[in-house]
Amino acid sequence: VVDWNAMEASAFRSATKAVRMRTVRAMVAARGDAKGGGTCLEQLYAAVDAKPKVPVLELRRTSKGRGMVALEDIEAGQVMVRVPMRHVIHVIEDEGTGADGDVRLAKKLFWTLSAEAESENETSSQRWELYARMLPTRTGCAALWDEETIEEMQFLPAVESALRLKDRFQLEADRAVQEHAIPCHAMMWALSIVHSRSFAVCNERGKRIRALVPVADLFNHKSDEPAAAGALDMQLGEGETGEAWHLVMDAHSKPWFQMSALEACIPGEEIFINYGHETSAELLTSYGFIPDPNPSEYVPLYQNMHELLEDDQFLETPSFPTMQRMREMLISSRSVDAPLAIRPGGVRSAGHLLGCLRVLYAQDHELGFLHEKFNVSLGELVFEWEESLDGCPKESRRKEIERLAIRQCSIRAIELLAEFPTTHEEDVEILDGLKLDLGKEQPEEGFGQVTREWLHSEFLDDIESRKVVDFVMALRYRLQLKSIIEQFLEEVLKMGFDEEELCMGETF
């Protein structure tokens, strides 16, 4: 574990200064050069021939650092911006070249932005110079942290995921140096931009395209509530994604990238899109920020259904036929791949996991009364009792099974909490001691500094100050997980469980 308290005081001062400068840099980059006529965004909007001709949004300072704000009333489903694909940096992902789409797109981004002006026409050169000015030099994604800082996330699945992506980034950057003489730092940067700003769409032939879209990549993320996300997933037809972006064809059969509003907005309100049902670990690893709160976050108590079935320490040993029937019900369920987890919102929000445990605690003659249904309020499939059927277990028996299920979840949650090297209280104390004001989310930084010279330069960074900022993000991530677990356990205690029943020690 890194001894963060022993770091040089100058590193903390540098980090604090860097944080304070971020918003200033972002606004300077967005403001642009008055000689060019209008803000940088206005110039870029015109350079990529975006529609509608008169923009309905603009880039402003927001609670997220900077974001797209409505200039007029916008209705749900209304087209906010369209960009012709001829002005989009993109690759077809399934071209069979042997290289992954994100790697090819990262190389294409580097080559597009670093091309010398004299080798292109002046308009094209200006277009990509403007686009580069809207990109950060650093996204803050955990995949670019050092290994010590990644390990400070403390939750093993998150740590392993970030390390895998970091190793992959480094491998591809090393290859780019050897095969194309692309500077290592530039390739790592390009990969982080692709992972944090690119869109996936399908063209008219059904080919999957990965694209970096000027203007459209400036929208911030807003997580869906699980109930809303689940309801939308159930309504979608085959091939539908429910995303705000699509590829459309104009009257001349030319492709355009189109971004539509997910919900109505009034003038001055920030317009959000949804990047996907991403956990905080996924967002931090690829995008570099953590929503606070994040309705899509969850803490898995079991990694898969097989692990749940093997955890039989609390069960009375059922007969072999009964166990086989239970296994068949769970393994063949439509929600077999859904997270077996607790979520923000306490006990009720762990509906899927509790439903699976109902199956395991039911007796053979009771299993037929448990059916998998879509729970509208939770947005997920849950094994629930069919109370209308004759012979359904009485309420007292159902409550007994529910209590056993909650107890098993609680004990598992306590075990997981004990695996963290630090407690919630210790993390809060560390965070307070740093006195580093990052806001609720870590904004990107270095706007207006991405140039051809920077891409080809020998990379220099204030490593120590960055390390402190990254550590704070790792600390906030693990605090969010611990808060979800503790909220669940606090509610369980209020339900009448006692600490002895849950085998609670000094952990909670």
Side-chain angles (χ1 to χ4, degrees), residues 250-276:
D250 65 12
H252 306 287
S253 298
K254 300 295 183 183
W256 289 67
F257 181 94
Q258 178 173 292
M259 182 71 75
S260 303
L262 291 173
E263 54 190 13
C265 294
I266 60 175
E269 185 178 0
E270 182 170 4
I271 306 166
F272 295 95
I273 61 174
N274 186 280
Y275 296 175

Side-chain angles (χ1 to χ4, degrees), residues 403-420:
R403 189 174 182 86
L404 291 169
I406 292 172
R407 177 176 179 268
Q408 180 166 337
C409 283
S410 301
I411 293 174
R412 184 77 175 188
I414 293 166
E415 292 172 347
L416 180 59
L417 200 59
E419 293 173 7
F420 285 96

